[in-house]
Amino acid sequence: MTTAETAAIPTAPLRTELFDYPVPEELIAQSPSVRRDDSRLLVVDRATHTISHHRFAELPNFLSAGDTLFRNNAAVLPARLRARRIIRSEGGATALGGAIECFLLRPHEAEPQNTSTWHCLLRPSKRLPVGAAFADTNREFSAEVLAKSADGTALVRLKSHRENETVPELARRLGSVPLPPYIHREKTEAPSTTGKDSQRARDLDRYQTVYADAARPVAVAAPTAGLHFTPELLGSLAARGVALADLTLHVGLGTFRPITTETIEAHQIHRERYEIPPHTIDRLHNTRGRRIAIGTTTLRSIEHYLRQTQACAPCPPLRAHLAEADLFIYPPAQFRGVDALLTNFHQPRSTLLCLIAAFLSPGSTDGITWFREIYAEAITRKYRLFSYGDAMLIL
């Protein structure tokens, strides 16, 4: 971007093309680093306007006693279930027809967490009207379409043919990991037949943070900034006096939906549910050091909470905060509760990239120019991009 182009960046409206950049296909990481903390770490110092290059295992060198790391403990469910449509003849006999993909999004809100009724994405949706049924080829489960919504989702009742098996348990046994489309894997209709050394098993392990709460399988995509942590690294941080605080944001598919409008302001942001427990609320208001968000999902939850509550530091709420984040953060946004951010490298024209640009230079549009310079440097140095790629720490 030239000096003239930089000077021409308006406060509003912001053209979506400002958040575009060329992506070398060979730098899109198809698998994670051999060790989680062996990924690379690009460190941005906003005070000195400099960047430096490190390994993720060096993260403790940039943190101090009294700092608090806030993290999203949502667990990723192997949400892609492959099946076949059930065809019924006039005589009542059944046979399996065309291939179906059922992508589990979330349990039906009106029923308990382990309900058999879920909001799902179905493909091909047009061939599955209300009342249609499907099952996997081994008859491990069956399902029926109960309703369809204008947003393209469907309400589906699923039934495992194993006694007392819940839908999350069924998904963990048979489902495929919901990797982003830019990570390429061969499809299989029988993940249960693959061994512990299979690609599915590796993705089940690595597309999940080591601190994910198995009781909270509410993410359809991993909070990827947390994928670099190991138990040993967390132990090292604790030994340095760095505190940890958890929250849960239900990562939805909308997080990765590209911006297709001509301007950023015209984009309709998605909504994602989150929960911040009392301990984390206390840390937000009373931490002695910096408040460091692990990932954009964590930052979005914290900033939405603070905008909703306007809570005072001496009097944090004693109850958990439950809400839906509908906050779209883009330049020249200000930030109320996050002092530093750990994140991965994001796709062009994404809401996540808008957030990064805003955080690089709060209160101005200067971060748009700076993120382009940082990303260009990262690409020149062959940093690996996106979900399984390298990390960036913005101080």
Side-chain angles (χ1 to χ4, degrees), residues 61 117 180 220 237 251 280 362 368:
N61 297 338
T117 305
V220 300
L237 290 167
V251 185
T280 300
I368 299 174

Side-chain angles (χ1 to χ4, degrees), residues 205-227:
D205 174 51
R206 294 301 300 273
Y207 197 64
Q208 191 84 273
T209 64
V210 297
Y211 50 79
D213 185 345
R216 297 174 179 272
V218 295
V220 300
T224 55
L227 296 180

Side-chain angles (χ1 to χ4, degrees), residues 1-15 18 365 368-369:
M1 183 175 287
T2 67
T3 303
E5 289 173 324
T6 301
I9 295 177
T11 300
L14 294 174
R15 303 185 311 278
L18 292 171
T365 59
I368 299 174
T369 303

Side-chain angles (χ1 to χ4, degrees), residues 77-81 101-123 125 134 143-158 167-168 171 217-220 250-253 271 273 324:
L77 194 66
R80 295 185 189 274
L81 295 173
E101 181 182 274
C102 177
F103 192 110
L104 303 169
L105 295 176
R106 63 186 185 279
H108 187 34
E109 297 89 342
E111 300 180 21
Q113 175 67 27
N114 287 329
T115 178
S116 60
T117 305
W118 281 62
H119 296 274
C120 305
L121 285 176
L122 299 175
R123 295 177 180 163
S125 179
F134 53 91
E144 180 184 1
V145 181
L146 302 180
K148 302 190 80 171
S149 302
D151 63 0
T153 63
L155 194 62
V156 177
R157 179 179 293 124
L158 298 106
V167 172
V218 295
V220 300
H250 300 224
V251 185
L253 290 176
R271 304 171 70 91
R273 289 185 290 172
E324 282 194 341

Side-chain angles (χ1 to χ4, degrees), residues 27-40 55-56 177 179-180 182-185 198-210 222 224-230 344 384-391:
L27 294 185
I28 300 176
Q30 297 299 306
S31 59
S33 57
V34 176
R35 264 187 66 89
R36 288 177 183 263
D37 61 0
D38 195 40
S39 54
R40 297 168 73 184
R55 290 288 172 183
F56 197 85
V177 182
L179 297 172
Y182 50 74
I183 297 178
H184 306 297
R185 296 287 185 266
S198 66
Q199 183 63 64
R200 175 180 184 267
R202 291 193 293 272
D203 285 326
L204 280 172
D205 174 51
R206 294 301 300 273
Y207 197 64
Q208 191 84 273
T209 64
V210 297
T224 55
L227 296 180
H228 309 280
F229 286 90
T230 66
N344 278 19
R384 302 168 78 239
L385 305 178
F386 307 159
S387 293
Y388 270 159
D390 296 315

